[in-house]
Amino acid sequence: MKRYLIFGLAVLLGVQCFCACGRQRPDKPGRIQVGVACYDQSDTFLSELIGCLREELAAQERDGLEIAVTVRDAAGSQRTQDDQVMELIEMGCGVLCVNLVDRADPSEIIDLARENDVPLIFFNREPVAEDMMQWDRLYYVGAYAQQSGTMQGELAADAILEDGQADRNKDGKIQYVVIEGEAGHQDAIIRTESAVDALKKRGIQLEKLGSGMANWDRAQAQNRMQQMIGQYPNQIELVLANNDAMALGAMDAYAKLNHTGSALPLFFGIDGTEVGLEAVVDGRLAGTVYNDKEGQARAMAQIAVAAVTGQGMDQISFEKDRYVYLPYRKITE
Ligand code: BGC
Ligand code: CA
């Protein structure tokens, strides 16, 4: 009898310790807690995308399925993001959507997720292929960088061919500058290269005057553009920006110098953010390429629910079993 008692006590203690040491799991059946880690919420496109994600997750709720969302902003620090991921897991999130700060450095996050068996959906900032193979509960949702650049180049070519005034100094070439996103981002270099290729393919003669890196940011782009306007006064005929925020920043630089009308180059962006679309409608931005944030958010919400409930994964069209890429589209009005 005594032996049984001691044994029983030992089991009880063991169970208690196990509960205290293990993470809480408030992910009861019927409730999913989704953690979202964002590289920098002051990024216009990202803040709109996360708005869409909240809506799409809410749309996945149904009788007997409640979804809670917790968003963390790393404000540009990978260390901060690693801590935030840990915190989200400890909080009991059953699935995480991660927009890496440094897309080349996801190992710590992947380890944490694997140790706790929490599936990870990376988005917008794509890890390299080897990292995506570290575990089978890793997914990526994004878009085809090359397609966005090609479309931007085609839009620019169409506008130049249509508008007899685009070659302002009539030298048969289009003098252009590029405003680039962040170094090392899959969308920055590829967008620039493919936009220029598409222009050349359409027979446009180009002369590159300069380029500036502005980290996706409107204010930084305004600065870079001001410098380039100073270097090449009245010579710039075309501005290719890797995103809308930077195209708008470039336009701000001209506005500040009171350049208007025919003194302005043609500007092109990518994203179709709210302000970007407004600028296209009122003709200040010659064109943009729509980065399908609704589609990306929907795919993320579907994967999140499927990964936790174990149902519906077969209805998602993956490439290479774990990637979803949404197509871009051209916007000119
Ligand atoms: C978007 C940019 C955004 C960047 C952030 C890109 O796909 O076009 O607007 O700043 O992602 O990672
Ligand atoms: Ca020219």
Side-chain angles (χ1 to χ4, degrees), residues 17 34 81 104 117 137 139 144 167 200 207 234 275 283 314:
C17 173
V34 182
Q81 186 167 68
D117 199 28
R137 301 194 83 190
Y139 303 91
Y144 302 106
D167 177 14
K200 288 184 181 157
E207 182 186 353
N234 294 317
V275 273
D314 51 347

Side-chain angles (χ1 to χ4, degrees), residues 39 43 45-46 124-125 185 187 191 216 243 271 291:
Y39 94 103
D43 182 296
F45 176 72
L46 256 305
N124 170 263
R125 302 163 73 88
H185 192 297
D187 288 339
R191 281 179 181 170
W216 309 118
N243 75 349
D271 275 344
N291 195 352

Side-chain angles (χ1 to χ4, degrees), residues 136-147:
D136 61 358
R137 301 194 83 190
L138 303 178
Y139 303 91
Y140 177 73
V141 176
Y144 302 106
Q146 189 183 346
Q147 184 186 42

Side-chain angles (χ1 to χ4, degrees), residues 142-154:
Y144 302 106
Q146 189 183 346
Q147 184 186 42
S148 56
T150 302
M151 287 184 170
Q152 186 187 54
E154 288 172 357

Side-chain angles (χ1 to χ4, degrees), residues 22-50:
R23 70 188 184 89
Q24 299 158 274
R25 271 205 173 266
D27 247 9
K28 322 183 211 51
R31 184 173 192 277
I32 301 176
Q33 179 146 2
V34 182
V36 181
C38 177
Y39 94 103
D40 188 348
Q41 264 188 287
S42 68
D43 182 296
T44 315
F45 176 72
L46 256 305
S47 70
E48 291 184 8
L49 173 57
I50 287 173

Side-chain angles (χ1 to χ4, degrees), residues 160-216:
I160 291 162
L161 294 171
E162 246 167 57
D163 168 6
Q165 307 301 311
D167 177 14
R168 294 215 315 266
N169 64 352
K170 305 272 177 263
D171 67 347
K173 287 183 270 184
I174 296 296
Q175 278 71 28
Y176 76 101
V177 300
V178 180
I179 311 214
E180 285 166 284
E182 210 178 335
H185 192 297
Q186 83 276 349
D187 288 339
I189 313 151
I190 298 177
R191 281 179 181 170
T192 305
E193 282 174 1
S194 46
V196 170
D197 283 352
L199 275 152
K200 288 184 181 157
K201 259 196 201 131
R202 292 276 174 107
I204 310 284
Q205 300 290 315
L206 293 172
E207 182 186 353
K208 182 173 183 172
L209 295 179
S211 67
M213 195 170 287
N215 296 309
W216 309 118

Side-chain angles (χ1 to χ4, degrees), residues 6 37-38 42 52 71 74 76 78 84 102 122-123 184 187 227 238:
I6 291 172
C38 177
S42 68
C52 293
V71 180
Q78 189 58 62
Q84 289 173 338
D102 181 351
F122 292 109
F123 66 102
D187 288 339
Q227 287 163 1
L238 169 66

